[in-house]
Amino acid sequence: MKNSISALLLVMLAFTSYAQSDSIEMTQNKSKINELNQRLDNLIKTTGEIPKDSLEIKIDWLIDEMKNVKSDITTLKTTVNSFSEDNNKLLEELKTNVVDANDLVDDRYYVVIGSRRDEAKAIELTKKLSINYEVQLVTNSKGTWHHVILTPNYSKEEATRKVSDLKSSSTFSDAWWTTSKKLQN
């Protein structure tokens, strides 16, 4: 029995020492967990106070620049769309500047500043010249010639003077005057 008591005592002593070493490790672990929690709390509290590092600053700058570029692209799209609308309006105006030769006033003279056989080239020339001059596109009755004429009609003397002025200034060296009947044919 003595042996069994001493064995029991030995087992209790071993269990107590094991329990104590386990509780020491547990206390150390709890202490480390508390320390880590404290450090995490401090980090969360001070993140607003810590200055940004250069990479974070660069990323923020890039994001801002991307927002600016996106805004600029939106503005450009709006501008391009308005240009497209303006171009469509100009094309419609250009079509209205195309005059049937039969609509010209008889007994008046017209100054021709360009002629083309190809209608598309004549329209392009009319569009180009309409920037600086009041012009109209006149197509003869056969549809074979397209003449760009100055919009006003003139008396014979005025037309002669206008052609002379245009040729002397080298603006239109091939300018010529004609009647509405000749433009029709």
Side-chain angles (χ1 to χ4, degrees):
M1 178 128 158
K2 233 181 179 188
N3 281 341
S4 56
I5 292 179
S6 34
L8 185 61
L9 247 145
L10 264 169
V11 168
M12 283 178 71
L13 185 63
F15 183 72
T16 308
S17 78
Y18 177 73
Q20 283 179 349
S21 72
D22 190 35
S23 72
I24 291 171
E25 284 181 26
M26 189 185 267
T27 305
Q28 287 176 346
N29 284 344
K30 283 183 181 180
S31 170
K32 286 188 179 193
I33 288 172
N34 287 337
E35 180 186 338
L36 287 173
N37 280 333
Q38 184 65 36
R39 288 173 62 190
L40 182 61
D41 288 343
N42 289 340
L43 182 63
I44 290 172
K45 289 178 189 173
T46 59
T47 52
E49 300 168 9
I50 296 175
K52 295 180 179 180
D53 65 353
S54 65
L55 182 59
E56 190 174 358
I57 291 169
K58 289 176 184 174
I59 289 172
D60 287 346
W61 178 80
L62 283 173
I63 290 171
D64 288 341
E65 286 299 308
M66 288 170 57
K67 287 177 183 176
N68 290 339
V69 167
K70 185 177 179 180
S71 172
D72 290 347
I73 287 174
T74 304
T75 304
L76 283 173
K77 282 181 181 179
T78 304
T79 305
V80 166
N81 289 338
S82 71
F83 281 153
S84 295
E85 291 172 11
D86 290 346
N87 284 342
N88 289 336
K89 288 176 185 174
L90 285 174
L91 284 174
E92 289 302 316
E93 285 179 23
L94 182 61
K95 287 178 184 176
T96 61
N97 281 345
V98 176
V99 176
D100 188 314
N102 294 325
D103 293 338
L104 298 176
V105 179
D106 288 337
D107 300 327
R108 294 299 285 175
Y109 294 84
Y110 296 89
V111 176
V112 179
I113 57 175
S115 295
R116 301 286 186 269
R117 280 197 177 269
D118 183 275
E119 184 178 18
K121 288 181 181 179
I123 290 173
E124 184 179 320
L125 178 62
T126 304
K127 183 173 144 184
K128 180 180 169 186
L129 293 174
S130 68
I131 295 169
N132 296 319
Y133 301 95
E134 290 184 49
V135 293
Q136 292 178 324
L137 183 62
V138 178
T139 302
N140 68 0
S141 60
K142 298 174 190 172
T144 55
W145 279 101
H146 309 279
H147 304 289
V148 180
I149 64 170
L150 294 177
T151 300
N153 56 52
Y154 301 97
S155 66
K156 185 174 184 179
E157 294 78 25
E158 292 170 333
T160 304
R161 195 175 322 115
K162 186 68 174 178
V163 168
S164 177
D165 291 345
L166 290 172
K167 285 185 175 185
S168 67
S169 67
S170 300
T171 307
F172 298 100
S173 57
D174 294 337
W176 49 283
W177 59 266
T178 187
T179 64
S180 60
K181 286 196 185 254
K182 287 187 179 179
L183 283 173
Q184 292 173 7
N185 297 326

